[in-house]
Amino acid sequence: MTASTDQASQNSRFAPRIFSGIQPSGGLTLGNYLGALKRFVEKQDEGIETVYCMVDMHAITVWQDPARLRQQTREVAAGFIAAGIDPERSILFNQSQVTAHAELAWIFNCVARMGWMNRMTQFKDKAGKDKEAASLGLYAYPALMAADILAYHATHVPVGEDQRQHLELTRDIAIKFNHDYDVDFFPVTEPLIEGAATRVMSLRDGTKKMSKSDPSDMSRINLTDDADAIAQKFRKARTDPDPLPEGPDALEGRAEARNLVNIYAALAGVEVAQVLAEYAGQGFGAFKPRLADLAVSVLSPISARMGELMQDTGEIDRILGRGAERADAIARPIMEQCYDIVGMVRSRG
Ligand code: TYM
């Protein structure tokens, strides 16, 4: 299921464009911030064209209360802006306002194979034991995700580690479409999974990823947590009794310890080795308060700004509307060409 290297070089005909998305199915976590948002801002600041999306249609693949979904879409948008996304330089919008996503997803439903979808581990995790009761949308989720990316001919997608398999499927869909229709139409997108925090783990269990859907709020840091909550969650975070080691290799087999060191490194913007050089030999009793202080210093300005932005949801809606118009201006012509390639008659004035 991997793309050949000539496929990657084929991408040179596509201008670099970044696309990524976040589900507004809950509040933003430190995992979303370090694995995604912080890196979205870096890409924007590198001057690459960046398109960022609140994927509300993905969110409803599992039940969402309508009022909460609306609120969370705005709150996640506020999180993007508070973290440093400039809606002038980046395109920021919510998925359902640009119809190309749903349209292209249907075409990709007809390109992707059942066998490919059956291998998707996220479906298995999310559907749980009762697969018969899962929505059809949850099953088709990765085809919509491929549509999100390819509707913009995006060449690069910054994500956390948990999205790797979905991005491989996106590549497979692009390759199969290009092959079936004998075109060089969709780029074979490169995942960007980089840095110390591509997989931030739960504070209660170092083998599970930090997630907005974990039933225990103590397992995660929310972007809206205040300083006391952040300090308390790190203080109670599970660790082992050993002191911090001298080098990164010695963190092998110490999932919780490694997680906290990775979080520190990502928040401070330094290498793991640098963190260990500073703290080697110290226990978690000393390390955790320093980590909490660092997290508060990074997150509290973001959460304060989010709070301010949420005072004026009309303005957030205007930003999303404007972003959707700009997104549509890119996706619409791509969609029309795609319909033409597939053989659909397009004769409306
Ligand atoms: P979602 O909403 O679960 O998460 C959004 C982004 O945050 C990253 N992330 C993490 N990174 C590190 N550690 C963690 N604990 C952690 N938790 C979440 C995710 O990897 C992701 O980058 N399917 C996607 C949304 C999506 C999308 C797309 C992404 C829909 N269409 C197109 C990229 C391109 C999702 O559920 O992300």
Side-chain angles (χ1 to χ4, degrees):
M1 290 245 295
T2 50
S4 63
T5 43
D6 44 303
Q7 231 92 37
S9 61
Q10 208 184 60
N11 281 344
S12 54
R13 92 170 182 81
F14 297 94
R17 180 178 286 145
I18 300 260
F19 180 93
S20 202
I22 296 189
Q23 292 196 67
S25 50
L28 291 165
T29 68
L30 182 62
N32 295 133
Y33 176 67
L34 294 176
L37 270 182
K38 184 170 187 279
R39 296 170 49 231
F40 296 173
V41 175
E42 287 163 8
K43 296 296 164 201
Q44 166 193 272
D45 294 347
E46 282 168 26
I48 311 172
E49 187 178 6
T50 41
V51 183
Y52 296 128
C53 184
M54 266 61 64
V55 289
D56 46 10
M57 298 200 303
H58 277 106
I60 62 161
T61 57
V62 298
W63 170 251
Q64 301 293 327
D65 172 75
R68 272 183 63 95
L69 178 61
R70 212 170 279 124
Q71 158 85 5
Q72 280 161 189
T73 302
R74 292 172 177 141
E75 197 173 289
V76 172
F80 269 87
I81 299 167
I85 294 298
D86 171 357
E88 294 300 318
R89 281 188 290 154
S90 292
I91 296 179
L92 184 66
F93 69 107
N94 59 310
Q95 189 184 29
S96 60
Q97 293 210 66
V98 180
T99 57
H101 295 252
E103 294 173 62
L104 189 56
W106 181 258
I107 292 179
F108 287 168
N109 282 345
C110 303
V111 173
R113 303 290 94 181
M114 294 290 283
W116 301 359
M117 307 308 271
N118 286 338
R119 284 194 284 274
M120 294 293 114
T121 55
Q122 192 154 311
F123 175 76
K124 291 178 197 163
D125 292 347
K126 284 201 178 172
K129 288 195 193 80
D130 193 1
K131 295 198 180 18
E132 299 289 311
S135 73
L136 183 55
L138 189 65
Y139 188 71
Y141 180 116
L144 175 60
M145 183 160 159
D148 297 339
I149 297 164
L150 296 175
Y152 301 91
H153 279 177
T155 54
H156 297 86
V157 181
V159 281
E161 181 62 46
D162 60 336
Q163 299 301 315
R164 186 184 291 279
Q165 194 186 33
H166 287 156
L167 291 184
E168 278 167 11
L169 186 91
T170 300
R171 293 166 67 91
D172 290 333
I173 288 176
I175 292 167
K176 182 162 164 53
F177 182 98
N178 288 347
H179 179 265
D180 289 352
Y181 292 101
D182 195 20
V183 287
D184 175 19
F185 186 63
F186 286 118
V188 181
T189 305
E190 297 289 337
L192 299 175
I193 303 173
E194 305 157 327
T198 56
R199 194 164 167 77
V200 176
M201 308 310 281
S202 156
L203 299 180
R204 309 300 295 166
D205 176 353
T207 64
K208 275 173 43 187
K209 79 164 182 177
M210 183 182 286
S211 162
K212 51 195 155 209
S213 56
D214 193 302
S216 164
D217 195 55
M218 290 302 283
S219 70
R220 65 178 158 264
I221 305 288
N222 305 300
L223 246 51
T224 49
D225 283 345
D226 62 21
D228 287 347
I230 293 175
Q232 194 203 21
K233 286 176 179 180
F234 278 125
R235 197 167 54 243
K236 297 220 162 143
R238 209 169 127 182
T239 41
D240 56 45
D242 295 338
L244 284 161
E246 309 244 314
D249 292 348
L251 287 170
E252 202 56 50
R254 297 178 65 186
E256 283 88 9
R258 183 168 52 191
N259 187 37
L260 295 188
V261 175
N262 281 349
I263 292 174
Y264 191 107
L267 281 169
V270 300
E271 297 293 321
V272 167
Q274 271 173 274
V275 180
L276 294 177
E278 195 179 338
Y279 289 99
Q282 299 194 33
F284 282 97
F287 182 72
K288 282 173 165 180
R290 301 286 298 273
L291 173 59
D293 288 348
L294 174 62
V296 169
S297 73
V298 173
L299 300 184
S300 57
I302 298 176
S303 91
R305 181 84 186 105
M306 275 173 79
E308 284 165 23
L309 289 161
M310 284 302 283
Q311 299 296 312
D312 186 358
T313 53
E315 176 57 14
I316 293 179
D317 291 3
R318 275 188 292 281
I319 289 171
L320 295 180
R322 174 78 192 112
E325 280 165 12
R326 290 166 66 200
D328 191 64
I330 301 173
R332 198 68 246 158
I334 292 175
M335 202 55 231
E336 289 306 321
Q337 284 178 66
C338 182
Y339 279 130
D340 186 52
I341 290 167
V342 171
M344 304 215 163
V345 175
R346 308 292 286 170
S347 56
R348 280 169 47 169

